Amino acid sequence: MIGDKVSVHYTGWLLDGTKFDSSRDRKDKFTFDLGKGQVIKAWDIAVATMKVGEVCRIICKPEYAYGASGSPPKIPPNAVLVFEVELFDFQGEDLSTDEDGGIIRRIRVKGEGYSKPNEGSVVELWFQGSHDGHVFDERDLRFEVGEGEGLGIPPGVETALQQMEKGEEAVLYLKPKYGFNSAGYEPFHVPPNAELQYEIKLKSFEKAKESWEMNSEEKLEQGALVKERGTEYFKAGRYRQAVIQYKKIIQWLEHESGLAEEETAKSKCLLLAASLNLAACYLKLGEHRPALDNCHKALEFDTNNEKGLFRRAEAYMGVNELELAKDDLMKVINLYPGNKAARAQLTQCQQRIRDQHQREKKIYANMFQRLAEKEEKESTKVAKEQLPSDDVEMSEEPEGRQPSDASRTVTGEM
Amino acid sequence: MCFKHRTLGQGGVIGLHSGPHNQTDGILIRNVGWNLIGPIAKCMQSCAVGSEKERGCLQLLNALIESCNPKEILLGILEQIDEAAGDHISRIILPFLQPLQIVLLKLGNKKSYSVGLSLSTIHSRLSNLPVPYTAQQMQEDKYSLCQCCLALVQFAQPFIDIVSQSIDLSKEADTEEMRKELLTFCFSCLKYPLLNAPLNTLPEDEGDHPLRVFAKQIMGFLVSLGESLPRTFVQRGHSAPTNDTEGSISGNEVCSVESLACLSYLLFVQHIGIDSFPFVFGPSFLVKSNMGHVAVLLKRTEESLLSKGLDLLEHSLLRVDNGSLPEDVLEVLTANQVLQDLVKVMTLCPIEHLRKKSLATLQLVIDKFCVEGKYKLFRCLLKISSHAGVEGYIIHNIKNQIDAALKTNPQNKWFLGTRLTPLLLSALSLSEGAETDLLQMSDRIMASLNLLRYLVIKDDDNETGVWSELAKIEQDFLKPLHTGLNMSRAHYDAEIRSTHEKKRGSHSGKPLCTVTAGGNKLPDMTPEMQLQVLQSALFTFDLMESVLARVEELIEVKLKSAPEGKIGSS
């Protein structure tokens, strides 16, 4: 089947009988992926019809081989080629990253194009999962690659999807490691350590276009859609997914130039929203640094943005820059006196500043106290009896008398 | 010991040579003989190549190898090689190679580690030497690099033989280990010196020059070691940019992307090792796979690497028939990178023949792509090039494609009808409206005007959609161009007037800035020259304006003569 790894031995001649190539002479079987355009057209067509052990002779017209260009130095232009091919073996393609045979794919119908879904692509597919000949799941589904877990889609399927083309139909054979693991999957009555088989048809997918492929209109249009999707995720509490969406906007529009006036306004608006929302996501995720970066970005577009300032304050508090947080919060309250949340936050912030002062005081106080003690200790050097924990360490000191002292203290304690 | 030192210092080598025959001396030498290697090396450095004294030193060395522990001798020699620097590198390495080989062969069954250590030590020393670039430099071989390379081949040969004669590697752990060490060595030789070396055949030369011979030997070694060239090429080639750790060579970083690029170059451009490479791969697949390698080469700035990159791209494209490269090649990540770098070489590279070559290669890329590929290529190129000359060139190519579509293939859905519109609009635009620097952009603007003129004349039936888009084209292109021309002309007129006045006035005005080209300071511009430049700018504007006027005239005529409804339909 298409996509299978095929291994053959072959010899090739020109029509005049010159042998130009032979895998037998190299003593190295030739392996390739069938039907992927890796080899000349004649081979993709002919080898697909062969059985294991079959030996056949293929005569290829130039348009199915190297055409008018030929392939220097051995194949002249417009050459008819004759091959004798022996098929030894073919097997499904191993898609697992460790190449442990855990995800085997066999393609039933080849898809089109060269592009494949990536993490974050929205895929639309039909699939049927079975175990021991018993179908446990059959669905038409539309979802984003990377969040299959919540939908009862095993990781192996998601890995495989990223290797599939649009319109492709394939069978997957999954080892438990890439299926539902030792836990099994209760909703589908899949027992632990089950080997799974999936029939998949990838109907279509929507991939983030390369930014040069889109014109500014498309970017703005897509940007608005993506923003909505991001917001949905945010509301659902799925901040990671939301981040992927918002980041797209930044990626598309940040360096876009040559926009009309109206478009510039729109783009600014989207960028501002995206940065603000990204900041919110990161705050929720507890990642304060990227949150801070995005707040800075947002405030570049709009220096006095209420949300921007407020979120930056939150982020500052997250990284313990309390004074900076306070400044931002004061600014919010000055500009938008109605913002109660900011007031509450400010109180909290000031409380923390006070706390910190207290703590610092204590720490420094302690520090000075210790320094003082240390000095004292060193100057007198007489008082050697200290806390028991110190004694244990002292036992390693080279002074001969010390160890016995220490052990005595320790035993004494016990 | 002291005795030895003294004799060496005095050059009394012959007496020493007979030394080991003495019984007690023999034991002494067996135990501490390796200490002598340092002084011997110093002695050899000081004497002339091929002299009596040098031969004596070698004899002494051989005598030591006979009687001492080979492991100690090995370390002694490697220490000397490792310390070599500057001009001495080849001076030390060359005479020591043969003794080193003998020692290694004496090591018995566990020599793979030592072989690897020796090879990597020698290689790391050698890579401090500059690679000769011109034929003359190569002949001169000032640092004896070529000589060292050839000697190194001799050196490695017996170990290669051990591996290639082994029947079942899986049963001989040490040989398998040795194979890995030797592969590492071969791949590092591909990176240095071969990646930088000139490998083209010299037309007047009968035989091959040394580095080419070296390249052939190394490729031969790879094959002898049982490294499958197609497998290395396919697996590595595909995963090159991601640095995946998969592949035929057990995953560890045996070969860098540069070595692989060089391997590709040797195979496809120099046809070295191609006999061991299958002739069944599809041509477009080869282009796709080579994109990664080309990207690696074009990223660099050295002349030899850039020209290798261009050659590799050219040679992979030459295997593809015109108009048959599928558009999905553009979706390979590195393809985008290659295009950007190609434009970079074309516009920024200081070496003229590379600039010319890269332009020719770009045309080749355009020719090879199928119609859809061409369309996407143009859109992509217009986005990334940001150089008026290149953009003009692309617009010119767009015109040719539309011409071909109109003449031969009215079903062409990419260069006719709705699909063409966005491409057309981006070709017929001014990046910064009326404020565009017309002089800077003149190449592009002239090409755009030319394209528009062609469309207006040829396309009576609105097959290209130009008539439907006329309003937008006028708004975004023709009108701002008019305004821009008026502004620029006024500006330059004023400039000319002021220069004239200056000329009449004082002659001793200090220049505001100086220009240097190629390190030489160009003479200050005299007012006459300034006038000339300004004048030629005005000529450019004149030319632009006249073509613009002609286009607008044509549009008007066509609009009047065409029956209502015909234009603007479809």
Side-chain angles (χ1 to χ4, degrees), chain B residues 169-196:
Chain B
L169 278 176
S170 55
K171 282 185 192 145
E172 299 167 52
D174 192 58
T175 318
E176 172 63 37
E177 201 55 39
M178 175 109 80
R179 175 174 176 270
K180 269 184 212 158
E181 298 284 2
L182 289 166
L183 277 179
T184 313
F185 166 70
C186 288
F187 279 115
S188 48
C189 282
L190 286 175
K191 188 173 174 188
Y192 174 94
L194 291 176
L195 190 64
N196 282 293

mmCIF file of all heavy atoms in Angstrom, chain B residues 169-196:
data_model
loop_
_atom_site.group_PDB
_atom_site.id
_atom_site.type_symbol
_atom_site.label_atom_id
_atom_site.label_comp_id
_atom_site.label_asym_id
_atom_site.label_seq_id
_atom_site.Cartn_x
_atom_site.Cartn_y
_atom_site.Cartn_z
ATOM 1 N N LEU B 169 29.643 -7.836 11.389
ATOM 2 C CA LEU B 169 30.022 -6.784 12.326
ATOM 3 C C LEU B 169 29.366 -6.959 13.682
ATOM 4 O O LEU B 169 29.939 -6.624 14.710
ATOM 5 C CB LEU B 169 29.641 -5.421 11.754
ATOM 6 C CG LEU B 169 30.634 -4.820 10.761
ATOM 7 C CD1 LEU B 169 30.087 -3.531 10.216
ATOM 8 C CD2 LEU B 169 31.964 -4.573 11.438
ATOM 9 N N SER B 170 28.159 -7.532 13.673
ATOM 10 C CA SER B 170 27.433 -7.599 14.935
ATOM 11 C C SER B 170 28.139 -8.516 15.935
ATOM 12 O O SER B 170 27.909 -8.424 17.129
ATOM 13 C CB SER B 170 26.005 -8.082 14.686
ATOM 14 O OG SER B 170 26.041 -9.307 14.004
ATOM 15 N N LYS B 171 28.997 -9.397 15.418
ATOM 16 C CA LYS B 171 29.692 -10.305 16.338
ATOM 17 C C LYS B 171 31.041 -9.746 16.785
ATOM 18 O O LYS B 171 31.654 -10.257 17.700
ATOM 19 C CB LYS B 171 29.909 -11.657 15.666
ATOM 20 C CG LYS B 171 28.632 -12.496 15.678
ATOM 21 C CD LYS B 171 28.888 -13.871 15.122
ATOM 22 C CE LYS B 171 27.576 -14.577 14.862
ATOM 23 N NZ LYS B 171 27.649 -15.426 13.692
ATOM 24 N N GLU B 172 31.521 -8.737 16.061
ATOM 25 C CA GLU B 172 32.836 -8.199 16.424
ATOM 26 C C GLU B 172 32.664 -6.789 16.945
ATOM 27 O O GLU B 172 32.640 -5.821 16.187
ATOM 28 C CB GLU B 172 33.746 -8.204 15.194
ATOM 29 C CG GLU B 172 33.961 -9.612 14.643
ATOM 30 C CD GLU B 172 34.599 -9.573 13.273
ATOM 31 O OE1 GLU B 172 35.632 -8.908 13.141
ATOM 32 O OE2 GLU B 172 34.068 -10.195 12.362
ATOM 33 N N ALA B 173 32.527 -6.717 18.241
ATOM 34 C CA ALA B 173 32.216 -5.428 18.860
ATOM 35 C C ALA B 173 33.281 -4.387 18.543
ATOM 36 O O ALA B 173 32.971 -3.237 18.232
ATOM 37 C CB ALA B 173 32.086 -5.594 20.363
ATOM 38 N N ASP B 174 34.543 -4.804 18.589
ATOM 39 C CA ASP B 174 35.606 -3.825 18.382
ATOM 40 C C ASP B 174 35.619 -3.304 16.961
ATOM 41 O O ASP B 174 35.835 -2.117 16.721
ATOM 42 C CB ASP B 174 36.963 -4.445 18.735
ATOM 43 C CG ASP B 174 38.037 -3.381 18.803
ATOM 44 O OD1 ASP B 174 37.872 -2.434 19.604
ATOM 45 O OD2 ASP B 174 39.018 -3.485 18.046
ATOM 46 N N THR B 175 35.373 -4.203 15.998
ATOM 47 C CA THR B 175 35.349 -3.768 14.608
ATOM 48 C C THR B 175 34.176 -2.822 14.367
ATOM 49 O O THR B 175 34.295 -1.831 13.652
ATOM 50 C CB THR B 175 35.249 -4.986 13.669
ATOM 51 O OG1 THR B 175 36.107 -5.993 14.170
ATOM 52 C CG2 THR B 175 35.648 -4.632 12.276
ATOM 53 N N GLU B 176 33.046 -3.142 14.986
ATOM 54 C CA GLU B 176 31.879 -2.266 14.858
ATOM 55 C C GLU B 176 32.218 -0.884 15.429
ATOM 56 O O GLU B 176 31.900 0.152 14.841
ATOM 57 C CB GLU B 176 30.709 -2.898 15.626
ATOM 58 C CG GLU B 176 29.470 -2.029 15.752
ATOM 59 C CD GLU B 176 28.839 -1.703 14.416
ATOM 60 O OE1 GLU B 176 28.851 -2.592 13.537
ATOM 61 O OE2 GLU B 176 28.365 -0.578 14.233
ATOM 62 N N GLU B 177 32.912 -0.910 16.552
ATOM 63 C CA GLU B 177 33.347 0.336 17.176
ATOM 64 C C GLU B 177 34.269 1.102 16.227
ATOM 65 O O GLU B 177 34.140 2.302 16.032
ATOM 66 C CB GLU B 177 34.094 -0.022 18.473
ATOM 67 C CG GLU B 177 34.188 1.071 19.484
ATOM 68 C CD GLU B 177 32.838 1.634 19.857
ATOM 69 O OE1 GLU B 177 31.854 0.857 19.981
ATOM 70 O OE2 GLU B 177 32.764 2.846 20.004
ATOM 71 N N MET B 178 35.180 0.355 15.616
ATOM 72 C CA MET B 178 36.138 0.952 14.683
ATOM 73 C C MET B 178 35.406 1.580 13.510
ATOM 74 O O MET B 178 35.759 2.663 13.040
ATOM 75 C CB MET B 178 37.085 -0.135 14.171
ATOM 76 C CG MET B 178 38.032 0.373 13.119
ATOM 77 S SD MET B 178 39.675 0.469 13.731
ATOM 78 C CE MET B 178 40.173 -1.209 13.586
ATOM 79 N N ARG B 179 34.361 0.898 13.045
ATOM 80 C CA ARG B 179 33.599 1.414 11.918
ATOM 81 C C ARG B 179 33.034 2.782 12.277
ATOM 82 O O ARG B 179 33.097 3.733 11.489
ATOM 83 C CB ARG B 179 32.470 0.437 11.583
ATOM 84 C CG ARG B 179 31.556 0.936 10.506
ATOM 85 C CD ARG B 179 30.535 -0.104 10.094
ATOM 86 N NE ARG B 179 29.628 0.467 9.137
ATOM 87 C CZ ARG B 179 28.499 1.091 9.475
ATOM 88 N NH1 ARG B 179 28.131 1.164 10.725
ATOM 89 N NH2 ARG B 179 27.732 1.621 8.543
ATOM 90 N N LYS B 180 32.513 2.881 13.475
ATOM 91 C CA LYS B 180 31.940 4.155 13.897
ATOM 92 C C LYS B 180 32.999 5.248 13.939
ATOM 93 O O LYS B 180 32.781 6.369 13.485
ATOM 94 C CB LYS B 180 31.305 4.010 15.278
ATOM 95 C CG LYS B 180 29.857 3.632 15.206
ATOM 96 C CD LYS B 180 29.267 3.613 16.597
ATOM 97 C CE LYS B 180 28.188 2.553 16.682
ATOM 98 N NZ LYS B 180 27.952 2.131 18.063
ATOM 99 N N GLU B 181 34.165 4.890 14.474
ATOM 100 C CA GLU B 181 35.245 5.879 14.567
ATOM 101 C C GLU B 181 35.649 6.354 13.181
ATOM 102 O O GLU B 181 35.848 7.540 12.941
ATOM 103 C CB GLU B 181 36.476 5.264 15.270
ATOM 104 C CG GLU B 181 36.223 4.824 16.701
ATOM 105 C CD GLU B 181 36.159 6.006 17.652
ATOM 106 O OE1 GLU B 181 36.277 7.146 17.187
ATOM 107 O OE2 GLU B 181 35.987 5.775 18.862
ATOM 108 N N LEU B 182 35.764 5.389 12.264
ATOM 109 C CA LEU B 182 36.189 5.748 10.912
ATOM 110 C C LEU B 182 35.129 6.572 10.199
ATOM 111 O O LEU B 182 35.446 7.515 9.462
ATOM 112 C CB LEU B 182 36.517 4.480 10.116
ATOM 113 C CG LEU B 182 37.796 3.770 10.564
ATOM 114 C CD1 LEU B 182 37.874 2.376 9.988
ATOM 115 C CD2 LEU B 182 39.015 4.581 10.147
ATOM 116 N N LEU B 183 33.848 6.236 10.435
ATOM 117 C CA LEU B 183 32.778 7.026 9.829
ATOM 118 C C LEU B 183 32.844 8.462 10.332
ATOM 119 O O LEU B 183 32.735 9.415 9.553
ATOM 120 C CB LEU B 183 31.419 6.433 10.178
ATOM 121 C CG LEU B 183 30.922 5.283 9.321
ATOM 122 C CD1 LEU B 183 29.579 4.800 9.822
ATOM 123 C CD2 LEU B 183 30.821 5.691 7.865
ATOM 124 N N THR B 184 33.030 8.594 11.620
ATOM 125 C CA THR B 184 33.137 9.938 12.189
ATOM 126 C C THR B 184 34.252 10.709 11.501
ATOM 127 O O THR B 184 34.091 11.871 11.137
ATOM 128 C CB THR B 184 33.453 9.856 13.695
ATOM 129 O OG1 THR B 184 32.570 8.915 14.277
ATOM 130 C CG2 THR B 184 33.311 11.191 14.342
ATOM 131 N N PHE B 185 35.359 10.012 11.315
ATOM 132 C CA PHE B 185 36.496 10.650 10.662
ATOM 133 C C PHE B 185 36.130 11.075 9.229
ATOM 134 O O PHE B 185 36.395 12.208 8.817
ATOM 135 C CB PHE B 185 37.680 9.683 10.652
ATOM 136 C CG PHE B 185 38.791 10.088 9.734
ATOM 137 C CD1 PHE B 185 39.577 11.181 10.037
ATOM 138 C CD2 PHE B 185 39.031 9.391 8.561
ATOM 139 C CE1 PHE B 185 40.601 11.569 9.189
ATOM 140 C CE2 PHE B 185 40.044 9.766 7.710
ATOM 141 C CZ PHE B 185 40.832 10.861 8.026
ATOM 142 N N CYS B 186 35.528 10.180 8.475
ATOM 143 C CA CYS B 186 35.167 10.502 7.093
ATOM 144 C C CYS B 186 34.237 11.705 7.035
ATOM 145 O O CYS B 186 34.422 12.611 6.227
ATOM 146 C CB CYS B 186 34.476 9.309 6.427
ATOM 147 S SG CYS B 186 35.603 7.973 6.057
ATOM 148 N N PHE B 187 33.225 11.710 7.929
ATOM 149 C CA PHE B 187 32.291 12.828 7.892
ATOM 150 C C PHE B 187 32.959 14.128 8.307
ATOM 151 O O PHE B 187 32.650 15.187 7.776
ATOM 152 C CB PHE B 187 31.068 12.539 8.761
ATOM 153 C CG PHE B 187 30.064 11.669 8.069
ATOM 154 C CD1 PHE B 187 29.776 10.406 8.525
ATOM 155 C CD2 PHE B 187 29.413 12.113 6.921
ATOM 156 C CE1 PHE B 187 28.864 9.597 7.879
ATOM 157 C CE2 PHE B 187 28.501 11.313 6.263
ATOM 158 C CZ PHE B 187 28.226 10.042 6.741
ATOM 159 N N SER B 188 33.905 14.023 9.226
ATOM 160 C CA SER B 188 34.557 15.284 9.600
ATOM 161 C C SER B 188 35.480 15.768 8.485
ATOM 162 O O SER B 188 35.687 16.967 8.341
ATOM 163 C CB SER B 188 35.287 15.165 10.938
ATOM 164 O OG SER B 188 36.070 14.015 10.972
ATOM 165 N N CYS B 189 35.999 14.830 7.676
ATOM 166 C CA CYS B 189 36.797 15.265 6.519
ATOM 167 C C CYS B 189 35.924 15.948 5.477
ATOM 168 O O CYS B 189 36.374 16.853 4.781
ATOM 169 C CB CYS B 189 37.492 14.077 5.866
ATOM 170 S SG CYS B 189 38.929 13.561 6.770
ATOM 171 N N LEU B 190 34.660 15.507 5.384
ATOM 172 C CA LEU B 190 33.758 16.171 4.444
ATOM 173 C C LEU B 190 33.564 17.621 4.857
ATOM 174 O O LEU B 190 33.449 18.514 4.028
ATOM 175 C CB LEU B 190 32.414 15.457 4.409
ATOM 176 C CG LEU B 190 32.380 14.119 3.671
ATOM 177 C CD1 LEU B 190 31.019 13.471 3.824
ATOM 178 C CD2 LEU B 190 32.692 14.309 2.196
ATOM 179 N N LYS B 191 33.521 17.842 6.158
ATOM 180 C CA LYS B 191 33.315 19.206 6.641
ATOM 181 C C LYS B 191 34.602 20.024 6.492
ATOM 182 O O LYS B 191 34.578 21.164 6.060
ATOM 183 C CB LYS B 191 32.876 19.164 8.091
ATOM 184 C CG LYS B 191 32.451 20.495 8.606
ATOM 185 C CD LYS B 191 31.867 20.349 9.988
ATOM 186 C CE LYS B 191 31.576 21.718 10.577
ATOM 187 N NZ LYS B 191 31.187 21.608 11.975
ATOM 188 N N TYR B 192 35.685 19.431 6.900
ATOM 189 C CA TYR B 192 36.978 20.080 6.701
ATOM 190 C C TYR B 192 37.954 19.041 6.183
ATOM 191 O O TYR B 192 38.053 17.960 6.761
ATOM 192 C CB TYR B 192 37.523 20.679 7.997
ATOM 193 C CG TYR B 192 38.923 21.213 7.812
ATOM 194 C CD1 TYR B 192 39.134 22.541 7.494
ATOM 195 C CD2 TYR B 192 40.014 20.355 7.855
ATOM 196 C CE1 TYR B 192 40.417 22.998 7.263
ATOM 197 C CE2 TYR B 192 41.284 20.811 7.609
ATOM 198 C CZ TYR B 192 41.482 22.135 7.315
ATOM 199 O OH TYR B 192 42.731 22.597 7.059
ATOM 200 N N PRO B 193 38.671 19.261 5.163
ATOM 201 C CA PRO B 193 38.780 20.484 4.358
ATOM 202 C C PRO B 193 37.835 20.524 3.163
ATOM 203 O O PRO B 193 37.772 21.534 2.472
ATOM 204 C CB PRO B 193 40.213 20.379 3.848
ATOM 205 C CG PRO B 193 40.448 18.900 3.680
ATOM 206 C CD PRO B 193 39.648 18.228 4.746
ATOM 207 N N LEU B 194 37.089 19.432 2.923
ATOM 208 C CA LEU B 194 36.418 19.355 1.620
ATOM 209 C C LEU B 194 35.326 20.406 1.420
ATOM 210 O O LEU B 194 35.098 20.851 0.296
ATOM 211 C CB LEU B 194 35.842 17.957 1.432
ATOM 212 C CG LEU B 194 36.927 16.895 1.253
ATOM 213 C CD1 LEU B 194 36.332 15.506 1.168
ATOM 214 C CD2 LEU B 194 37.736 17.178 -0.009
ATOM 215 N N LEU B 195 34.643 20.783 2.490
ATOM 216 C CA LEU B 195 33.556 21.747 2.315
ATOM 217 C C LEU B 195 34.079 23.066 1.747
ATOM 218 O O LEU B 195 33.434 23.715 0.932
ATOM 219 C CB LEU B 195 32.877 21.992 3.666
ATOM 220 C CG LEU B 195 31.589 22.792 3.636
ATOM 221 C CD1 LEU B 195 30.515 22.064 2.863
ATOM 222 C CD2 LEU B 195 31.108 23.101 5.029
ATOM 223 N N ASN B 196 35.256 23.454 2.170
ATOM 224 C CA ASN B 196 35.821 24.719 1.710
ATOM 225 C C ASN B 196 36.676 24.583 0.458
ATOM 226 O O ASN B 196 37.042 25.567 -0.162
ATOM 227 C CB ASN B 196 36.689 25.323 2.807
ATOM 228 C CG ASN B 196 35.848 25.980 3.870
ATOM 229 O OD1 ASN B 196 35.210 26.978 3.605
ATOM 230 N ND2 ASN B 196 35.808 25.382 5.040
#
